[in-house]
Amino acid sequence: MKSAFYALMLVLLLVGISQVQAQQSRSLIPDRTLDIVQDSGYLNVGMYKDFPPYSYEVNGEVRGVDADLGRRIAEGLGVEFRPYWIIPDESLGDDLRNHIWKGHYLAKTRIADIMMRVPYDSTFKYMRDSTGEMINEQVVFFGPYQQERWQIAFDKSRLDGVETVAVFQYHPIGVEIDTLPATYLTSAFGGRLRNQVHHYGNVGEAFQAMEQEEVAGVMGMRAEIEHQLAAHTGNGFTKAGNGFPGMTKQVWDLGLAVRHTHRALGYAIAAIVDGMVRSGEMAELYANHGLSYSRPGYYDEILGPDKNGE
Amino acid sequence: MRSNPFGKQFAASALALAVSLGAHAVTDEDILNDHNTVDDIVSYGMGVQGQRFSPMDALNTDNVRYLQPAWAFSFGGEKQRGQESQPLIKDGVMYVTASYSRAYAIDARTGEEIWQYDARLPDGIMPCCDVVNRGGALYDDLFIFGTLDAKLVALNKDTGKVVWIKKVADYQAGYSMTAAPLIVKGKLITGVSGGEFGIVGKVEARDPNTGDLLWMRPTVEGHMGYVYKDGKEIENGISGGEAGKTWPGDMWKTGGAATWLGGTYDPDTDSLFFGTGNPAPWNSHLRPGDNLFSSSRVAIDPDDGSIKWHFQTTPNDGWDYDGVNELISFDYEENGKTVKAAATADRNGFFYVLNRENGDFIRGFPFVDKITWAKGLNEDGSPIYNTENGRPGNPANADGEKGETVVAFPAFLGGKNWMPMAYSQDTGLFYVPSNEWSMDIWNEPVSYKKGAAYLGAGFTIKPANDEFIGVLRAVDPKTGEEVWRYNNPAPLWGGVLATAGNLVFTGTPEGYLKAFDAKTGEELYKFNTGTGVVGTPVTWEMDGDQYVSISTGWGGAVPLWGGEVARVVKDFNQGGTVWTFKLPSDRVAAN
């Protein structure tokens, strides 16, 4: 069991477990409301572990754009920033359950106050399960701060360019296993690229493979690709400008999440994040990490089209 | 030893002490004879073939109603969850594992603890399906078991002190270890758990005294197997000959096929039988081909790990029908000839009888009420797929829309899951703990994983009937006939034991240990243990009395993955106790 088949399947979990949860009067997770967070003097910032350039550690130092944003949020609340590392489960629903609203059954008192890099998507937010129950009623999504997208990098010594993904019918391309790029490249165009797809544990490993000339390109999230390009300068790797025909989700917004009983904490943090997006501080934060920044689509209706958008 | 009187005396008294403490070593012979001996249980399966049949008949259909609790031992701790372990018994001591990778030695006469060992688990473990352990192995003076962080721990069976600990695989890569190890010809044989994406299943043999590797056999086509001599790793052939025959691209490198339920051994053919899990990725449309050796039974040479034969139950699995379920060796007479067969009740709802000498398909039939993914089996045992809405669609073709829902029987938790069935040499029937449920699967275009857009399937499990989910079945392997059935409201998730007393024992999530007439299915005994039972019962003889033991404690995959089954099981309380029952000696002849 335990297969990635269960990915995305929070439906069942939430039907199953939240009903059971509703039966349990004793919740073991600490109830850290805004007041309690401020009194305690620290904020547990939930971030994915080993996930450059978003959140990672180098020699014990916590780095990444999500970590820096977490620091700014903690600063804004007047408390200490404390990293809370999240090992990703098979889907976002699992991560929210394990680290925001319920706790993992192996560590029932370990919980993050907020979680970074949570997709901000109204369709997902209001999704219902097969019985009509809201699957995310335990969680509040707020504070969209960035828009992410897919990106290919390629080896100029092997490819003249990547006008379309069709070149990867003839040249090998690396992807992180069990991701949308993996699914896309192995199934698009009737599977014609399938045999050229090489699977790696993460985008960093795929870039190492490109250095070893195992692959001629790598597909991942734009920030991951830009981060690796910076780490592999001088190898003749560069960004491609191709589209992704047939790709269902080309761009998506990222924000934060808190437990539904901690809305006030969410409001206070949303104000900090919103200020940073509007003032340009957020774009600056990304620029400091050498990353492109796209403003969340959420702001298009509020502020008009993103001038720095692609 | 020098011959001085004091030394001799000391040696003799030390020996006497050792004998009185029951500190006998467990030998290969003990293990190979386990199915015949009644005073010990020194293997998972009550014999290496895994029949779970006891020749004892003191306890029988006439007197089972007098079975009474002798003692109950609590695993303690604040943490309970699923207790799926099978106890072992040697020289009046019970050896049993519990959730969270704990192990115990208990005085089998009194229920007093002799020692307890708690594995120190790292913070980062992410087991998919509860924190269970299914049991340990006894060999020489060692008790050996696997832990959730994919290590093997060998303890001195008399003291509980650590003799060695070996890392089998990286828990951070998704590996784990929950099955009971197997001892064959002086080797410690194990598989690995972890259906996390990107692992590759393997079967390994080690030196039980040191934990050092002797051979390793990957269960995915294209990976090299090895034998180890004098610290050197020697290539021993690629599983399946070469990569890419039944997998596209490089997907064989991360093909899955975890061997997470362990295996059985058949001395007649000198073969290990291991089942393998589902292939990765979960979306079958991305990996056209049979995807060997996923969802298969594999016969392996215990001397060097070579694959002798394989039988695949669900080629190109698209339903998460793991092929890990145990393959049990048994002989039967047909046309005056003895057939050396082996049987397995697969997740996919079909019961298979194979020739265990070469893996040939003898016959197969459904053992559940309804199967929709396949219309039947071909002459060679391969499935006749239901091509109309039988296979879940490819979410990559969903165009951002929620795809058509495919309803599949059985659900991915299977017609039968991990819980071991039993075979009675008296009745010639298999006693199969099974479940009647379906799953809805649909494409879920709006989904995310680790901060990124993702494409997957949503699914939910539904009971097939209102009145019952679990069914304990007596199945005739020669005809496919269901001789009797017992319907249980909650899903059955515990193992089965058959005895020469014409009895069949199993536990239920409602908390009962139950006994049935092996020929008629009549329920003859029930005792409520106070928590759901997902363990496997055993029986043995001590001081002339017949005992029955079972680990109790509700958990396992059902409360985690059960979907709409939750309404049936949500009020069951957790626990963690070994219950031991005995038949009072004055009741043996009772009528």
Side-chain angles (χ1 to χ4, degrees):
Chain A
M1 266 201 359
K2 0 56 310 110
S3 88
F5 191 34
Y6 307 147
L8 334 184
M9 329 290 197
L10 46 153
V11 168
L12 148 176
L13 279 170
L14 296 179
V15 178
I17 291 187
S18 66
Q19 284 182 355
V20 175
Q21 176 74 3
Q23 301 268 333
Q24 294 175 350
S25 52
R26 52 187 190 102
S27 173
L28 297 171
I29 61 173
D31 194 33
R32 288 176 45 85
T33 59
L34 176 60
D35 292 348
I36 292 171
V37 165
Q38 289 186 308
D39 287 349
S40 73
Y42 64 88
L43 181 72
N44 290 316
V45 178
M47 300 174 292
Y48 289 114
K49 193 174 163 68
D50 304 330
F51 198 26
Y54 307 116
S55 44
Y56 57 110
E57 278 182 296
V58 179
N59 303 326
E61 185 200 343
V62 180
R63 291 193 193 169
V65 276
D66 286 350
D68 282 356
L69 178 55
R71 287 188 176 97
R72 298 289 290 275
I73 290 167
E75 196 183 319
L77 294 174
V79 296
E80 177 201 341
F81 161 81
R82 286 194 187 173
Y84 168 108
W85 296 113
I86 293 174
I87 295 167
D89 207 327
E90 293 178 339
S91 73
L92 171 60
D94 292 343
D95 296 336
L96 292 168
R97 185 185 69 251
N98 293 339
H99 303 289
I100 289 295
W101 64 267
K102 185 172 187 227
H104 192 277
Y105 62 78
L106 288 175
K108 286 181 178 153
T109 58
R110 184 180 182 265
I111 207 86
D113 296 325
I114 59 169
M115 182 170 158
M116 314 294 294
R117 198 141 298 272
V118 176
Y120 187 88
D121 174 342
S122 57
T123 313
F124 182 78
K125 190 193 305 191
Y126 297 115
M127 262 167 77
R128 291 176 182 275
D129 64 27
S130 54
T131 65
E133 296 284 327
M134 298 262 298
I135 61 171
N136 286 311
E137 58 183 359
Q138 305 278 349
V139 181
V140 181
F141 301 92
F142 69 99
Y145 61 89
Q146 183 224 333
Q147 185 177 77
E148 194 48 274
R149 64 189 57 220
W150 301 114
Q151 177 71 53
I152 286 178
F154 67 96
D155 182 346
K156 284 190 290 193
S157 69
R158 295 184 59 175
L159 301 177
D160 293 340
V162 180
E163 199 145 322
T164 70
V165 289
V167 297
F168 297 108
Q169 294 175 101
Y170 311 99
H171 299 277
I173 181 164
V175 293
E176 177 176 342
I177 200 158
D178 201 24
T179 58
L180 192 48
T183 301
Y184 176 74
L185 293 172
T186 53
S187 64
F189 318 108
R192 280 190 307 200
L193 285 53
R194 182 175 294 140
N195 291 346
Q196 296 287 5
V197 179
H198 291 234
H199 298 80
Y200 299 98
N202 55 52
V203 171
E205 285 176 24
F207 264 79
Q208 280 164 11
M210 188 148 65
E211 265 195 350
Q212 306 292 323
E213 299 185 0
E214 276 176 39
V215 292
V218 175
M219 179 175 170
M221 286 188 276
R222 182 175 66 182
E224 290 185 288
I225 295 284
E226 288 176 342
H227 179 77
Q228 292 299 335
L229 284 171
H232 292 82
T233 47
N235 284 312
F237 301 162
T238 189
K239 281 203 282 186
N242 60 286
F244 297 100
M247 170 72 90
T248 44
K249 265 249 183 284
Q250 307 237 7
V251 301
W252 64 99
D253 287 359
L254 279 311
L256 302 129
V258 292
R259 195 170 183 224
H260 75 113
T261 51
H262 301 163
R263 281 173 197 271
L265 178 65
Y267 296 145
I269 293 170
I272 297 167
V273 172
D274 181 66
M276 289 176 67
V277 173
R278 289 171 188 263
S279 68
E281 285 172 276
M282 194 71 75
E284 212 172 295
L285 192 155
Y286 276 74
N288 291 342
H289 286 265
L291 301 171
S292 308
Y293 177 71
S294 295
R295 200 182 63 193
Y298 163 88
Y299 281 97
D300 290 356
E301 281 184 32
I302 305 168
L303 303 175
D306 185 2
K307 293 188 184 61
N308 301 317
E310 305 247 313
Chain B
M1 172 174 318
R2 291 201 314 268
S3 63
N4 69 61
F6 176 77
K8 273 196 181 140
Q9 206 177 355
F10 172 77
S13 63
L15 185 65
L17 185 69
V19 171
S20 71
L21 285 176
H24 292 300
V26 176
T27 64
D28 284 295
E29 198 179 357
D30 292 339
I31 292 167
L32 283 178
N33 269 326
D34 199 22
H35 59 295
N36 292 323
T37 55
V38 296
D39 59 343
D40 64 9
I41 300 166
V42 291
S43 62
Y44 182 81
M46 293 176 59
V48 288
Q49 291 181 323
Q51 290 185 350
R52 299 185 180 276
F53 176 73
S54 167
M56 270 183 287
D57 59 3
L59 180 65
N60 55 50
T61 46
D62 294 328
N63 59 24
V64 68
R65 66 184 182 279
Y66 300 116
L67 189 66
Q68 54 185 241
W71 51 262
F73 174 91
S74 170
F75 295 129
E78 296 166 13
K79 298 168 170 179
Q80 301 187 316
R81 307 199 71 88
Q83 311 295 353
E84 293 186 354
S85 184
Q86 178 217 297
L88 300 175
I89 305 284
K90 176 69 179 165
D91 300 326
V93 179
M94 175 183 290
Y95 300 90
V96 63
T97 60
S99 57
Y100 296 94
S101 308
R102 294 172 294 171
Y104 303 77
I106 304 163
D107 183 323
R109 289 179 176 83
T110 62
E112 289 177 66
E113 180 174 295
I114 297 169
W115 54 255
Q116 173 174 348
Y117 173 83
D118 293 25
R120 289 194 52 177
L121 298 172
D123 283 344
I125 57 166
M126 295 280 288
C128 78
C129 314
D130 208 358
V131 287
V132 299
N133 185 280
R134 299 191 171 93
L138 283 167
Y139 189 64
D140 204 358
D141 59 352
L142 300 174
F143 177 76
I144 305 169
F145 79 115
T147 61
L148 287 163
D149 55 342
K151 290 187 177 119
L152 278 165
V153 178
L155 306 171
N156 178 293
K157 75 176 172 60
D158 304 314
T159 64
K161 295 276 180 286
V162 173
V163 178
W164 56 259
I165 295 182
K166 281 275 176 179
K167 176 177 157 181
V168 170
D170 183 3
Y171 75 88
Q172 294 189 337
Y175 288 92
S176 181
M177 202 167 219
T178 53
L182 174 68
I183 303 282
V184 170
K185 296 163 92 175
K187 297 182 175 75
L188 170 71
I189 314 283
T190 54
V192 286
S193 315
E196 250 45 327
F197 201 90
I199 76 139
V200 170
K202 56 184 174 178
V203 179
E204 291 175 322
R206 293 169 187 273
D207 178 341
N209 298 309
T210 60
D212 292 342
L213 270 176
L214 301 171
W215 56 254
M216 185 276 283
R217 171 53 53 193
T219 50
V220 175
E221 171 191 281
H223 292 267
M224 180 64 73
Y226 295 94
V227 292
Y228 301 86
K229 289 212 175 83
D230 311 323
K232 277 211 280 294
E233 181 179 75
I234 303 155
E235 289 189 354
N236 187 34
I238 293 172
S239 297
E242 61 177 308
K245 289 196 290 191
T246 63
W247 294 85
D250 77 339
M251 289 190 198
W252 60 276
K253 290 185 179 173
T254 49
T259 48
W260 61 265
L261 200 49
T264 57
Y265 172 68
D266 174 39
D268 295 344
T269 58
D270 193 25
S271 304
L272 299 167
F273 298 132
F274 270 75
T276 61
N278 50 282
W282 61 268
N283 180 353
S284 64
H285 298 270
L286 306 184
R287 44 173 169 77
D290 283 352
N291 315 139
L292 291 172
F293 298 94
S294 69
S295 300
S296 300
R297 306 301 185 284
V298 182
I300 294 173
D301 181 334
D303 295 331
D304 70 351
S306 305
I307 294 179
K308 296 175 160 191
W309 55 257
H310 71 274
F311 181 86
Q312 189 173 42
T313 48
T314 315
N316 190 229
D317 168 58
W319 301 268
D320 208 19
Y321 293 147
D322 271 14
V324 293
N325 289 0
E326 72 283 0
L327 185 67
I328 299 177
S329 303
F330 73 111
D331 295 346
Y332 67 92
E333 299 296 319
E334 198 169 64
N335 308 327
K337 279 218 276 286
T338 299
V339 180
K340 290 202 177 303
T344 190
D346 200 88
R347 288 279 219 291
N348 69 20
F350 288 99
F351 190 99
Y352 297 84
V353 179
L354 308 178
N355 175 331
R356 69 179 189 265
E357 292 173 300
N358 56 19
D360 283 355
F361 176 72
I362 296 174
R363 72 182 66 88
F365 44 85
F367 68 96
V368 292
D369 294 337
K370 187 172 179 183
I371 294 175
T372 59
W373 70 277
K375 292 175 177 162
L377 301 176
N378 290 308
E379 297 257 306
D380 63 353
S382 60
I384 304 161
Y385 294 114
N386 172 8
T387 49
E388 293 158 35
N389 219 21
R391 184 179 288 274
N394 182 356
N397 301 339
D399 289 340
E401 295 300 314
K402 180 173 164 174
E404 285 290 299
T405 296
V406 169
V407 182
F409 288 76
F412 68 86
L413 288 176
K416 173 181 163 304
N417 198 281
W418 78 276
M419 54 283 191
M421 61 187 184
Y423 172 72
S424 167
Q425 293 177 8
D426 288 349
T427 63
L429 303 176
F430 279 88
Y431 299 95
V432 186
S434 61
N435 289 304
E436 297 290 340
W437 43 26
S438 67
M439 57 183 167
D440 291 5
I441 311 172
W442 62 90
N443 292 327
E444 197 66 271
V446 182
S447 56
Y448 294 95
K449 176 178 172 163
K450 200 172 75 167
Y454 187 66
L455 275 179
F459 68 92
T460 187
I461 293 189
K462 292 177 173 169
N465 306 283
D466 287 341
E467 303 75 28
F468 66 94
I469 299 168
V471 184
L472 177 65
R473 291 176 153 92
V475 173
D476 186 335
K478 297 189 285 295
T479 63
E481 183 199 357
E482 181 183 285
V483 177
W484 58 259
R485 66 191 282 164
Y486 156 78
N487 294 345
N488 194 70
L492 291 177
W493 209 253
V496 181
L497 161 70
T499 77
N502 193 36
L503 293 171
V504 174
F505 286 92
T506 196
T508 73
E510 288 87 346
Y512 288 99
L513 171 69
K514 291 193 169 190
F516 302 87
D517 182 309
K519 292 194 182 81
T520 66
E522 185 192 352
E523 188 179 305
L524 301 172
Y525 178 80
K526 66 176 183 179
F527 176 90
N528 198 300
T529 64
T531 175
V533 184
V534 293
T536 299
V538 293
T539 186
W540 82 97
E541 188 180 89
M542 188 166 62
D543 307 328
D545 296 323
Q546 186 173 353
Y547 286 79
V548 174
S549 271
I550 191 161
S551 277
T552 69
W554 171 238
V558 172
L560 294 174
W561 296 111
E564 292 181 32
V565 173
R567 65 181 168 78
V568 183
V569 303
K570 67 183 184 342
D571 296 328
F572 296 161
N573 286 326
Q574 293 187 6
T577 298
V578 188
W579 279 92
T580 294
F581 303 80
K582 75 186 270 194
L583 181 68
S585 43
D586 58 352
R587 292 292 191 185
V588 171
N591 277 317

